[in-house]
Amino acid sequence: AGAGRCKLHAADPKAAVAAVHGNLFRIFYDGIERFAFVLENIDEVIVSEGEEAEQIYAFAGRGLLSLLEHALVYPPDWPAREPLLTSYADKTAGHIVRDQINKAVARGALPNVTVDFTDDVDSHGAAWPETFTMDLRPGVTLASLVGQFVTLGYDVCMTSGLVLRLFLRRGLDRTLGTAPTVFRQGYNLFSKTRSASSAEVKSVALVATQAGLSEFAKASEFGRREAFIDAVDQDVTTAGRAASLLLDTLAIEDEGFTSRIESIVGASEVFEDFDVGDWVLVDVPGKIDLAKYRVQALTMDASESPVKWEVDFNSIRYDWNIRVKRMLDALNAGSLRASTG
């Protein structure tokens, strides 16, 4: 969902207008809106130097997807208390999410929020490839509901016009063609901080399904590390799918990194040659040899000129690892079944 923050001098006329919780802050770059966040925190700072004092307001908040945390799943015939569960049988992600958004809007929980996908196609117009069977209990946030589909590879965002967008896959593959987007150390890639962790490595999965216990194993340099999947409400096929994906990714360490980058016209210009969700190539001599990474997040620092940019890169392995871990959580919650069709 991202986050944002900015500062305004108390004497700035915009400060008094802006200092209202829930206001929408829209951030422009080169005259085009690129980011937005909801005002959730206001700090009033007195800066003193010698005999003079300045009053500064610091505004901060999370991205617009955080609005989904303010709406819940209700019983389907509310205000009737029964039936308790909202059941969907063989429905697309678009149908399920759109239905819950519309119900929340009707209750007044998400004023002005709309969607641009349908029961049949995603926000890019691509047909949904699978259907889901779900039983939703009251109290689940719509953020958690959408998060379940993110675990299965879907992407989501919300525009500053409060339009919720749901994709099979957001972003472009910029690694193809004659002019791929490449980040090279010392040219447009600087101050790289790599993150690698073996804390979550697992090589054996003991799975409880409707048919009983099954064991899945995969060779790992870290030896035998066991994980349990409680999927007693799932059929063997669905649980086995999760176990296989789990071990394909968790048998190796996580990898990703954050780097300061330079926006270069025609090579690595922000929003032109790459954007959040895109795949790019990274070249760090002796470390990374033109490997394919996904742009997970962009951070813009406009506190001084020129604007500074920082990018979070995650490898294919790391990106899918995150999704599998979330899929495991969804399966353990016993609320998700999927079928292709």
Side-chain angles (χ1 to χ4, degrees):
R5 62 181 182 272
C6 66
K7 295 179 180 180
L8 290 175
H9 195 283
D12 190 322
K14 294 190 293 294
V17 177
V20 178
H21 284 279
N23 272 356
L24 182 65
F25 277 60
R26 303 165 68 185
I27 311 301
F28 288 77
Y29 177 73
D30 283 345
I32 301 174
E33 183 182 331
R34 298 298 186 179
F35 306 103
F37 67 92
V38 179
L39 180 58
E40 296 176 310
N41 298 289
I42 303 174
D43 291 329
E44 184 179 351
V45 182
I46 305 298
V47 181
S48 299
E49 287 190 16
E51 298 179 356
E52 297 184 1
E54 285 187 315
Q55 185 178 6
I56 303 293
Y57 285 106
F59 305 112
R62 294 172 296 170
L64 302 187
L65 284 176
S66 64
L67 293 175
L68 298 182
E69 295 183 3
H70 303 313
L72 303 175
V73 172
Y74 268 60
D77 297 328
W78 184 260
R81 271 58 172 175
E82 298 291 341
L84 184 66
L85 301 180
T86 301
S87 298
Y88 297 98
D90 295 324
K91 300 298 184 182
T92 64
H95 175 94
I96 296 168
V97 174
R98 191 173 68 86
D99 182 57
Q100 286 298 320
I101 292 292
N102 288 341
K103 288 177 177 177
V105 170
R107 294 193 305 270
L110 295 174
N112 303 317
V113 172
T114 60
V115 303
D116 68 352
F117 51 89
T118 71
D119 294 359
D120 302 314
V121 298
D122 76 351
S123 294
H124 281 327
W128 301 113
E130 56 191 350
T131 59
F132 299 86
T133 295
M134 306 180 75
D135 292 325
L136 299 180
R137 291 185 175 276
V140 174
T141 69
L142 297 198
S144 296
L145 173 62
V146 171
Q148 289 198 34
F149 294 110
V150 173
T151 69
L152 297 178
Y154 294 90
D155 285 324
V156 64
C157 67
M158 185 179 287
T159 72
S160 63
L162 301 184
V163 178
L164 182 67
R165 313 197 73 198
L166 187 64
F167 309 89
L168 291 174
R169 198 64 162 165
R170 180 188 179 193
L172 302 173
D173 191 340
R174 306 276 191 167
T175 68
L176 307 175
T178 58
T181 299
V182 181
F183 288 91
R184 289 188 169 88
Q185 183 175 340
Y187 172 63
N188 55 1
L189 184 70
F190 308 92
S191 305
K192 183 175 72 70
T193 302
R194 177 177 178 269
S195 298
S197 174
S198 61
E200 297 298 327
V201 169
K202 304 294 182 185
S203 57
V204 176
L206 181 64
V207 186
T209 71
Q210 293 171 342
L213 290 173
S214 297
E215 183 185 79
F216 298 83
K218 185 176 180 67
S220 171
E221 63 178 298
F222 295 92
R224 185 181 177 97
R225 293 191 179 184
E226 300 170 338
F228 179 69
I229 300 178
D230 182 3
V232 293
D233 292 329
Q234 309 299 326
D235 57 45
V236 175
T237 301
T238 302
R241 172 189 175 192
S244 296
L245 288 172
L246 175 75
L247 295 180
D248 282 346
T249 56
L250 294 190
I252 49 182
E253 67 178 5
D254 291 349
E255 182 184 355
F257 67 93
T258 300
S259 177
R260 181 175 63 83
I261 63 103
E262 185 171 345
S263 181
I264 299 176
V265 176
S268 57
E269 187 176 3
V270 179
F271 305 122
E272 294 294 330
D273 298 304
F274 72 98
D275 202 343
V276 174
D278 289 352
W279 296 98
V280 298
L281 294 174
V282 176
D283 186 22
V284 179
K287 298 290 185 180
I288 303 173
D289 185 16
L290 287 178
K292 190 173 181 177
Y293 280 76
R294 195 179 192 208
V295 178
Q296 294 292 106
L298 278 171
T299 301
M300 180 179 75
D301 182 356
S303 59
E304 55 186 58
S305 184
V307 170
K308 294 182 174 60
W309 294 97
E310 193 172 81
V311 177
D312 289 344
F313 295 98
N314 283 341
S315 67
I316 298 174
R317 181 178 67 197
Y318 187 86
D319 176 63
W320 188 236
N321 197 356
I322 293 172
R323 295 180 186 276
V324 170
K325 288 177 183 176
R326 291 174 179 166
M327 179 190 290
L328 179 61
D329 290 339
L331 283 168
N332 282 342
S335 61
L336 180 62
R337 297 184 182 90
S339 62
T340 57

